[in-house]
Amino acid sequence: MIRQGRAAARMGRIPPYLFAEIDRQVAARRAAGVDVISLDIGDPDIPTPEPVVAAAEAALRDPANHRYASYYGLPELRAAMAGWYRRRFGVELDPDREVLPTLGSKDGIAHLPIALIDPGDVVLAPDPGYPVYVTGAIMADGEPYRLPLRAQAGYLPDLSAIPHEVVRRARLLWLNYPNNPTAAVAPESFFAAAVAWCREHDVVLAHDAPYTETAFDGYRAPSLLQVAGAREIGIEFHSLSKTYDMTGWRVGMVCGNAELVRLLGQVKTNIDSGIFQVVQRAAIAALEEPAEQLAARNAVLHRRLVAVRDALAAVGIDVPLPRATFYLWGRVPDSYDSIGFAAAVLDQVGVNLTPGVGFGANGEGYFRVSVTAPDARVLEACERLRGLRL
Ligand SMILES: *Cc1c(COP(=O)(O)O)cnc(C)c1O
């Protein structure tokens, strides 16, 4: 037994991981016999594309792939990542200096502050937002400062509202569009303004962009790296998790400023020993997938989003349909706070949503639905939601 009080002081500032907690609560209900439909974590139910699985299967039989992988990833994988950026965004990257594969983007996001942050440095992170921006800062003994994302501002942070004293100590700014949890998108002009702000204040701009491909109705999300000057101060995290239904495989990438990529590589080579080469071979196959397949998967997600939007509207909860991401972000009914609403929905109809406050104080008053359950389950959830008594 570890004696009470032996944990590092920083552990008092690192909350239990939101979805690890939610998993436990849902598991407890299920153990009690409740048929819970999980519309909480953003974890696609759609299987990984067959050519990707086939590439992995073939690679698994080659003992060369059983050994330690090269630290910076197979050259073919970095080339495939650069090729994907060229085709998708028209951005040219040097695969040796401006691209680094990661163990999912969470790996890169959590570890970047180790490379950039000294004690007392400020990390600017959106609120509501993906929890790892804040916990990564804490683990590096940095000081997170949360930027409110408000509906009336399109869920874009107001950089001009950050106090001068905070700006002075800021080293790193996190952005994330298309956004989790609000499902908001950002125009390229917003990225241009953020780049200018970061260059003026000598702040590193890190854009977390796992949802650029999960988009509907012809919407094409921009890359930060399309903006002139972005590469002076910026990097962008991508992931194969959401785009190719590969959350369990753990593969993503960071691209952009060569010095930032090098620094993160220096941290990572001291922590992990690269990505299982079988997964790297699979990732190459994924990045070469024809675009129609992605469109077909997005059509499935969009149908589900519409179905849940309609079911909620039927009980008087109006949520906007997003242009990207597989989330609906809506206001809870007036008489509830966000945890109370999620609890009421779980109790009444056995559907688990995520309370907005789980993503930060500014998420209070909101809830998030993720449509990453199989069609039949989403439709069953819709039917149940129509029976809510609020
Ligand atoms: C899902 C997600 C990630 C990370 O996913 P990985 O599986 O680690 O690549 C990062 N940021 C946001 C905002 C996400 O929603």
Side-chain angles (χ1 to χ4, degrees):
M1 270 300 280
I2 296 174
R3 262 196 294 130
Q4 277 276 311
R6 285 299 296 274
R10 79 173 67 82
M11 289 309 292
R13 293 181 284 139
I14 300 176
Y17 193 62
L18 172 63
F19 288 101
E21 271 310 286
I22 288 175
D23 268 2
R24 283 175 26 161
Q25 289 168 20
V26 169
R29 300 270 166 160
R30 287 197 173 130
V34 181
D35 173 31
V36 177
I37 303 178
S38 280
L39 301 185
D40 42 60
I41 194 168
D43 183 4
D45 62 295
I46 301 173
T48 301
E50 176 49 35
V52 179
V53 175
E57 237 167 1
L60 188 57
R61 293 288 159 202
D62 180 355
N65 290 326
H66 300 170
R67 310 189 65 190
Y68 283 126
S70 79
Y71 285 105
Y72 297 98
L74 292 164
E76 300 95 301
L77 175 59
R78 279 183 277 114
M81 289 170 166
W84 186 85
Y85 251 85
R86 182 185 318 113
R87 288 193 306 279
R88 172 62 179 83
F89 297 115
V91 169
E92 286 295 334
L93 296 164
D94 175 348
D96 293 329
R97 297 172 57 249
E98 296 177 319
V99 177
L100 179 70
T102 58
L103 293 158
S105 48
K106 190 179 186 182
D107 160 36
I109 294 165
H111 291 135
L112 182 66
I114 296 176
L116 299 179
I117 298 302
D118 284 319
D121 287 347
V122 167
V123 176
L124 304 167
D127 177 353
Y130 184 61
V132 186
Y133 312 136
V134 167
T135 48
I138 293 168
M139 288 190 279
D141 291 327
E143 202 182 291
Y145 182 87
R146 311 213 58 175
L147 305 176
L149 304 186
R150 300 190 202 286
Q152 63 269 27
Y155 298 109
L156 303 174
D158 179 1
L159 301 178
S160 70
I162 307 170
H164 182 72
E165 184 276 326
V166 173
V167 174
R168 200 175 46 74
R169 292 188 294 128
R171 265 305 270 143
L172 175 60
L173 167 63
W174 284 106
L175 296 176
N176 162 226
Y177 295 98
N179 185 257
N180 175 12
T182 68
V185 299
E188 206 175 315
S189 58
F190 172 75
F191 289 130
V195 166
W197 188 90
C198 285
R199 293 179 74 174
E200 181 187 341
H201 299 289
D202 193 23
V203 170
V204 168
L205 177 45
H207 184 222
D208 179 23
Y211 296 102
T212 56
E213 309 314 295
T214 310
F216 317 111
D217 296 330
Y219 175 70
R220 300 278 282 169
S223 162
L224 168 71
L225 302 178
Q226 285 168 264
V227 171
R231 226 177 294 197
E232 303 292 317
I233 43 87
I235 50 174
E236 186 161 77
F237 290 84
H238 259 288
S239 175
L240 278 69
S241 287
K242 317 290 165 59
T243 304
Y244 301 107
D245 300 308
M246 292 178 73
T247 45
W249 299 67
R250 311 313 300 138
V251 56
M253 56 179 133
V254 58
C255 303
N257 181 276
E259 178 60 6
L260 294 171
V261 167
R262 187 191 71 76
L263 286 168
L264 183 56
Q266 189 177 337
V267 172
K268 275 176 48 56
T269 50
N270 278 287
I271 294 177
D272 63 71
S273 298
I275 305 169
F276 186 26
Q277 248 168 230
V278 169
V279 172
Q280 297 194 48
R281 293 287 174 197
I284 293 169
L287 292 163
E288 288 168 354
E289 183 193 64
E292 309 81 70
Q293 315 279 334
L294 175 66
R297 295 195 295 271
N298 284 344
V300 170
L301 295 171
H302 194 246
R303 260 203 323 272
R304 295 176 186 171
L305 288 165
V306 170
V308 177
R309 189 272 316 260
D310 290 349
L312 289 168
V315 290
I317 301 171
D318 289 315
V319 301
L321 259 189
R323 297 169 80 187
T325 80
F326 37 59
Y327 303 120
L328 294 169
W329 179 252
R331 282 206 68 84
V332 304
D334 278 343
S335 47
Y336 293 92
D337 64 9
S338 72
I339 287 179
F341 178 66
V345 174
L346 182 59
D347 279 344
Q348 277 188 38
V349 297
V351 174
N352 200 44
L353 317 171
T354 309
V357 75
F359 300 98
N362 285 286
E364 183 50 85
Y366 291 87
F367 66 92
R368 192 193 74 174
V369 177
S370 174
V371 294
T372 49
D375 278 346
R377 294 296 275 172
V378 172
L379 292 179
E380 160 83 22
C382 288
E383 218 146 278
R384 294 189 194 181
L385 290 171
R386 286 170 188 271
L388 272 178
R389 286 162 291 100
L390 298 167

